[in-house]
Amino acid sequence: MIQLTEAATLTIQEGIGIISINNPPVNALGFPVRKGIADGIDQSVKDDQVKAIIIICEGRTFCAGADIKEFGQPPKDPGLGDVLEVLDASPKPTLAAIHGTAFGGGLETALSCHFRVGIPSAKFGLPEVKLGLLPGAGGTQRLPRVVGIEKALKMIAIGNPIGAAEALKVGLIDELVEGDLKEGAINFMKKVLAENRPLKKVSENNEKIEADRGNSEVFDSFRKSIARKARGFDAPENCIKAVEAAVNLPFAEGLERERNLFMELMQGNQSAAQRYAFFAERQVAKIPDIPKDTPQLDIKKVGIIGAGTMGGGIAMNFVNAGFQVTLVETKQEFLDRGLGVIKKNYDITASKGKMSAEEVESRMSLITGTLSMEDLADVDMVIEAVYENMDLKKEIFKKLDSICKADAILATNTSYLDVNEIAAVTSRPEFVLGTHFFSPANVMRLLEVVRGEKTSKSVLATTLTIGKKIKKVAVVVGVCHGFAGNRMFAQRARESNFLVLEGAPVEQVDKVIYDFGFPMGPYVLRDLIGMDVGWNPKTSSSSTIQEIMCEAGRLGQKSGSGFYKYEVGNRTPIPDPEALQMISDFAAKQGYDKREISDDEIKKRCIYSLINEGAKILEEGIAVRPSDIDIIWINGYGWPVYLGGPMFYADLIGLDQVLETLKEYEGRFGEVWKPAALIEKLVGEGKGFKDLN
Ligand code: 3H9
């Protein structure tokens, strides 16, 4: 065995040179891997004993791509492109033997081999677009030549991977290896040699792209198909342009075009933001005072109290991950309705072909409905998801404390309430914490895990693991009204409310927020949620915009009018002069002088209010680090990932600029705009939020 570099070896076995890569955790193509492959190929080509070459990886996966941590650092030769040129030019047959994920540069490496085999669980993808990039080592030029344009466009510009069966079907791999991968790869290469098979050089194979040379239609229709999802992002368009180049230019020129388009993205802010978000999402699970080896509880059975919208959605998360769920309601009709909604949701998924009828049945069979809390005696964790009422929650937790096993975790799905107060009614506050799901709970990725004063480390660590199992991004936050996400959201709601009272039409506020990159503006959102959420008809006294709207029966989409009008069966908001007049009359009564407000002011007031509150949240230790807040906003509130989250965005603008505006607003609008001490401190030290990550 020859040690090529610290991350690669070369072994010659039965006349086959086996380059083995070992660069945990994901065999990213950092310098020692790149150099190892280049040297391994070089030595194998020069060695007469070697008749064929295999690239295989140790550990949990084939190469998961370029080493993202190297981006932005001075490049170290050989670059991946150079290595793949050496591979492409090999006069001896080459094979990539794939398990785990051949992603990004990993798949580009495989595509530069003559042959590819994989085990049935292997996945293949070019997810660079999700990092605001495009495959920059020939992937956009080679993949269309192997799988055709339409498939390649989907894989490159959307970035979703495909499984091994599909890879075999579309010609991305030559064979599935059912048993031992290395053995299968050697046997495959023996066949190649015995049959003297021609070397399939992808760069020279134009068969699948020739027919579409000069045909722009396929690209235009693809652009249209992704327009909604790709809105605001730079990378998808560059991906498409690179594939167009593959079709219309000779290989070498296409590579050059790809390089330029890649560099354009690499130097932009969007990719920096998206790469930051990638690492930030992995960082959230690391809590400074909770070591990796913190003992965890074994959770198999989960109890959920409340089969309403939240409870039902939460139940689906657990069932999808294979947990047994006991769903508790107070009345049979509520239980039936809740179970009915869950079943309907699964049936819809099945009708789209994403789940079989048997799977629907097997998931439903994991849920047991009951009207008795006593049935929670043997569950390992309970999530209470009843409506926001402290007295009710306390009563439930007292009961749970007497019914549940001594080491059962008791979690509340409150959005605002004091988790410490709830914990205090039990004899085991160390087993109590908050699990704040976002609606719809079976869809939204965010989970705020609210750490109470007395929550034990083991309970917190276990809940983070559970979060991962149910496919959520679980972010730890401390106890305060609204925790991190909703507390910040309330600031934006306050400002958007003032803006319309001061004279900005709701459409203008919505457009500014939509154009910023959110999926919708605050007023379209309010109409969608329902104006009556949080409205009490008994105490309503025409004293807020919400109250005058609700009193007039304008409850949002569901009643056909709110801040906008809606046609029956159509969710498109139509500007409504009547609503504007109501707001205008109300504002006049309140003594507001109507004025024109610029888009820039709307943007700053809605976004800087978030930043300022985020800083206060950090100051108080409610969030662990700025990037956790960014992950909350990206995954729970639709903040555009290409702007990295509010704290990243503040650094992007310049924290000193933000501070200046906060001071100006404090002067104009008062105390609520007082800059957070943390911002003052960071600016004084010439630092940004990034220095706290
Ligand atoms: C590219 O290839 C560009 C080329 O086209 C052009 C070049 C010129 N680099 O996600 P996990 C770390 S761009 C560095 O928790 P999983 C990750 O941070 C790349 N580090 O595991 C984490 O570290 P830690 C295109 C990486 O099993 C640890 O590995 N490729 C990289 O849930 C485990 O990760 C991609 O975009 C990397 N490329 O999922 C693939 N990847 O433990 C990105 C991971 O310290 N990666 N790490 O927190 C993934 O999608 C997932 O990590 C993967 C494993 C599916 C592979």
Side-chain angles (χ1 to χ4, degrees):
M1 185 180 83
I2 304 161
Q3 191 75 41
L4 296 162
T5 63
E6 70 254 41
T9 58
L10 174 64
T11 315
I12 297 161
Q13 204 176 320
E14 302 180 63
I16 296 172
I18 300 172
I19 301 171
S20 182
I21 293 164
N22 186 12
N23 185 28
V26 294
N27 291 316
L29 287 144
F31 169 73
V33 176
R34 295 196 303 272
K35 181 149 172 40
I37 297 175
D39 290 355
I41 299 289
D42 190 46
Q43 293 189 26
S44 301
V45 169
K46 283 183 188 147
D47 187 338
D48 289 342
Q49 267 189 68
V50 176
K51 305 295 176 214
I53 305 162
I54 291 174
I55 300 178
I56 194 163
C57 291
E58 287 173 37
R60 67 201 228 204
T61 181
F62 193 76
C63 302
D67 188 339
I68 310 167
K69 291 191 182 107
E70 279 186 0
F71 292 172
Q73 319 258 351
K76 208 167 170 191
D77 286 338
L80 187 56
D82 305 330
V83 175
L84 300 192
E85 247 176 57
V86 174
L87 194 51
D88 194 67
S90 166
K92 296 179 181 177
T94 53
L95 169 93
I98 298 164
H99 74 295
T101 44
F103 276 6
L107 184 55
E108 291 177 299
T109 303
L111 282 164
S112 304
C113 293
H114 300 114
F115 304 100
R116 289 160 293 281
V117 296
I119 62 169
S121 60
K123 288 204 170 73
F124 307 81
L126 292 174
E128 286 88 340
V129 70
K130 296 183 181 172
L131 299 170
L133 294 171
L134 55 80
T140 65
Q141 306 304 297
R142 287 193 176 90
L143 190 66
R145 286 175 158 84
V146 176
V147 304
I149 299 168
E150 281 176 38
K151 186 87 210 154
L153 276 171
K154 279 191 190 146
M155 287 179 71
I156 294 169
I158 299 172
N160 289 338
I162 61 171
E166 194 177 352
L168 184 67
K169 203 167 118 203
V170 296
L172 185 52
I173 54 173
D174 299 278
E175 204 172 279
L176 267 183
V177 175
E178 297 284 351
D180 180 71
L181 178 60
K182 190 158 137 195
E183 208 178 297
I186 292 174
N187 287 339
F188 182 89
M189 279 316 236
K190 280 190 190 162
K191 269 191 289 180
V192 167
L193 292 171
E195 294 166 12
N196 206 9
R197 284 198 207 170
L199 304 188
K200 296 200 296 178
K201 219 171 173 184
V202 173
S203 58
E204 289 174 358
N205 182 3
N206 295 329
E207 225 173 86
K208 291 197 174 165
I209 54 176
E210 256 158 8
D212 280 306
R213 226 157 244 170
N215 172 11
S216 60
E217 204 178 300
V218 57
F219 296 101
D220 291 342
S221 77
F222 181 74
R223 277 188 179 93
K224 271 189 208 137
S225 73
I226 63 162
R228 206 169 64 85
K229 281 202 165 152
R231 182 178 70 92
F233 288 89
D234 292 339
E237 178 54 26
N238 277 28
C239 287
I240 298 170
K241 282 183 182 156
V243 177
E244 271 181 311
V247 177
N248 295 321
L249 299 175
F251 184 76
E253 282 177 44
L255 269 189
E256 205 178 314
R257 176 91 175 113
E258 177 195 86
R259 189 81 209 144
N260 292 336
L261 290 163
F262 176 81
M263 287 315 291
E264 206 175 284
L265 295 173
M266 181 62 111
Q267 285 155 5
N269 286 334
Q270 288 205 352
S271 175
Q274 288 176 257
R275 281 180 275 134
Y276 160 85
F278 176 85
F279 287 115
E281 189 175 315
R282 280 147 186 88
Q283 189 75 0
V284 288
K286 294 166 193 157
I287 309 302
D289 66 331
I290 309 250
K292 238 181 166 182
D293 57 358
T294 303
Q296 300 203 11
L297 297 150
D298 188 22
I299 309 290
K300 290 203 172 69
K301 284 182 160 184
V302 175
I304 293 168
I305 304 181
T309 314
M310 283 314 282
I314 296 169
M316 287 176 76
N317 289 318
F318 280 96
V319 164
N320 294 346
F323 289 88
Q324 278 186 34
V325 169
T326 305
L327 191 58
V328 186
E329 253 303 349
T330 48
K331 283 189 182 159
Q332 190 63 41
E333 58 171 306
F334 297 157
L335 189 58
D336 291 345
R337 192 164 58 208
L339 287 168
V341 171
I342 296 174
K343 172 80 166 50
K344 198 171 132 208
N345 285 339
Y346 282 134
D347 283 342
I348 292 171
T349 310
S351 71
K352 289 179 186 159
K354 292 182 187 164
M355 191 185 271
S356 67
E358 293 80 56
E359 263 178 286
V360 174
E361 286 315 313
S362 95
R363 292 202 193 185
M364 288 307 295
S365 73
L366 285 174
I367 312 179
T368 311
T370 177
L371 300 180
S372 165
M373 285 220 327
E374 315 296 326
D375 289 340
L376 299 178
D378 67 341
V379 300
D380 308 303
M381 179 174 193
V382 180
I383 296 176
E384 161 277 308
V386 305
Y387 60 91
E388 293 285 48
N389 178 304
M390 183 54 103
D391 291 340
L392 177 62
K393 291 197 191 247
K394 281 183 176 170
E395 191 188 311
I396 289 175
F397 272 74
K398 259 188 215 155
K399 259 197 197 157
L400 286 175
D401 192 32
S402 67
I403 293 169
C404 295
K405 297 190 297 196
D407 62 350
I409 298 179
L410 307 182
T412 170
N413 176 51
T414 178
S415 322
Y416 294 96
L417 299 176
D418 186 338
V419 173
N420 294 331
E421 202 180 322
I422 297 173
V425 302
T426 72
S427 63
R428 54 171 115 180
E430 65 280 13
F431 282 90
V432 178
L433 81 178
T435 46
H436 179 208
F437 287 82
F438 287 70
S439 185
N442 52 318
V443 178
M444 298 296 284
R445 289 186 77 218
L446 179 63
L447 172 65
E448 279 184 325
V449 176
V450 190
R451 183 180 190 169
E453 235 166 49
K454 296 197 174 148
T455 308
S456 81
K457 291 183 181 181
S458 163
V459 165
L460 190 69
T462 305
T463 307
L464 289 176
T465 302
I466 295 295
K468 199 163 186 192
K469 282 194 183 156
I470 61 171
K471 296 203 164 66
K472 298 291 170 198
V473 189
V475 187
V476 175
V477 293
V479 176
C480 66
H481 187 76
F483 318 123
N486 279 347
R487 181 169 149 183
M488 289 167 73
F489 187 79
Q491 302 302 309
R492 194 186 82 176
R494 179 201 72 214
E495 281 312 303
S496 54
N497 191 46
F498 280 141
L499 283 161
V500 297
L501 288 172
E502 290 164 36
V506 291
E507 297 94 281
Q508 190 193 359
V509 177
D510 278 341
K511 185 171 183 313
V512 170
I513 296 302
Y514 177 79
D515 288 348
F516 184 80
F518 282 94
M520 62 188 83
Y523 293 101
V524 175
L525 178 64
R526 188 71 225 193
D527 273 0
L528 176 71
I529 294 171
M531 201 80 88
D532 52 338
V533 173
W535 174 63
N536 185 345
K538 287 185 196 135
T539 55
S540 192
S541 58
S542 310
S543 59
T544 62
I545 295 178
Q546 181 190 19
E547 287 186 349
I548 56 163
M549 290 278 173
C550 288
E551 286 162 20
R554 303 182 73 103
L555 305 183
Q557 266 188 30
K558 60 182 162 193
S559 72
S561 69
F563 286 107
Y564 295 88
K565 290 191 288 206
Y566 300 88
E567 281 167 359
V568 179
N570 192 335
R571 289 159 168 256
T572 313
I574 304 164
D576 185 358
E578 207 178 298
L580 293 186
Q581 193 58 51
M582 283 171 74
I583 296 169
S584 181
D585 293 346
F586 177 73
K589 253 198 242 162
Q590 301 279 317
Y592 284 89
D593 289 328
K594 205 169 171 170
R595 66 181 171 97
E596 275 216 2
I597 301 179
S598 71
D599 288 354
D600 186 58
E601 181 178 335
I602 292 173
K603 182 171 89 179
K604 285 184 174 149
R605 285 175 61 183
C606 288
I607 304 297
Y608 290 16
S609 52
L610 293 178
I611 296 170
N612 202 27
E613 197 63 23
K616 291 178 188 169
I617 282 168
L618 284 169
E619 241 164 60
E620 293 167 27
I622 298 296
V624 174
R625 49 182 86 83
S627 62
D628 283 13
I629 294 182
D630 287 335
I631 288 305
I632 287 175
W633 272 78
I634 291 168
N635 292 288
Y637 298 86
W639 180 284
V641 62
Y642 56 79
L643 292 178
M647 313 321 276
F648 179 93
Y649 180 72
D651 282 351
L652 200 65
I653 305 162
L655 209 45
D656 52 343
Q657 301 281 310
V658 174
L659 178 61
E660 204 175 294
T661 307
L662 292 176
K663 283 182 176 163
E664 179 205 325
Y665 288 169
E666 186 187 11
R668 278 172 64 191
F669 307 112
E671 185 70 6
V672 287
W673 280 97
K674 187 173 166 43
L678 180 64
I679 297 185
E680 301 253 23
K681 180 172 174 280
L682 287 171
V683 171
E685 293 169 354
K687 291 182 179 166
F689 289 120
K690 63 180 181 308
D691 297 300
L692 304 177
N693 279 323

